[in-house]
């Protein structure tokens, strides 16, 4: 059974930064594109970023473009999301996800093979 476990969320002041991690286990992850999503209270889950395991391709949503960097450590089966210049409206539960391509992660609804359990990010003003 594939498992994705996020960590790194927490409380941060506006203007600050956080790096989220997503550790994968139980499968062959070189076949998956990894992505990050978020869901704020009362809102739908929103795509943020995706990247192939080879690192050759990345894609970012316009909503946070310029403030996000997706990266990975293949030796550790871990994908990261660096978030900078955080704003109170970035407060949400952040999820990592595994899918077959950037294309299927960016459609609505996304075709996700595996979801993590989510990590809370709270940005104070």
């Amino acid at each position: 059974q594939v498992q994705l476990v996020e960590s790194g969320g927490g409380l941060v002041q506006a203007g600050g930064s956080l790096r989220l991690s997503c550790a994968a286990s139980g499968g062959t992850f070189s076949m998956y594109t990894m992505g990050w999503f978020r869901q704020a209270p009362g809102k739908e889950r929103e795509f943020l970023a995706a990247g192939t395991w080879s690192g050759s391709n990345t894609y970012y949503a316009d909503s946070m473009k310029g403030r996000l960097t997706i990266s990975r450590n293949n030796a550790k089966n871990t994908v990261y999301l660096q978030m900078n210049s955080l704003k109170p409206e970035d407060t949400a539960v952040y999820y990592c996800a595994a899918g077959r391509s950037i294309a299927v992660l960016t459609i609505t609804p996304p075709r996700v093979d595996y979801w993590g359990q989510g990590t809370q990010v709270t940005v104070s003003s």
Side-chain angles (χ1 to χ4, degrees), residues 29-49:
F29 292 96
S30 59
M31 65 186 293
Y32 290 106
T33 291
M34 300 299 293
W36 286 93
F37 294 75
R38 70 181 179 185
Q39 188 166 19
K43 294 188 177 181
E44 295 187 352
R45 196 166 296 189
E46 173 189 17
F47 168 80
L48 297 176

Side-chain angles (χ1 to χ4, degrees), residues 65-85:
K65 189 175 288 185
R67 299 194 290 129
L68 297 179
T69 303
I70 188 170
S71 62
R72 81 259 128 230
N73 183 327
N74 291 340
K76 295 184 176 181
N77 279 346
T78 300
V79 62
Y80 305 98
L81 185 69
Q82 177 69 40
M83 305 188 293
N84 299 322
S85 302

Side-chain angles (χ1 to χ4, degrees), residues 54-72:
S54 68
S56 60
N57 291 301
T58 58
Y59 185 82
Y60 297 93
D62 289 339
S63 60
M64 290 189 73
K65 189 175 288 185
R67 299 194 290 129
L68 297 179
T69 303
I70 188 170
S71 62
R72 81 259 128 230

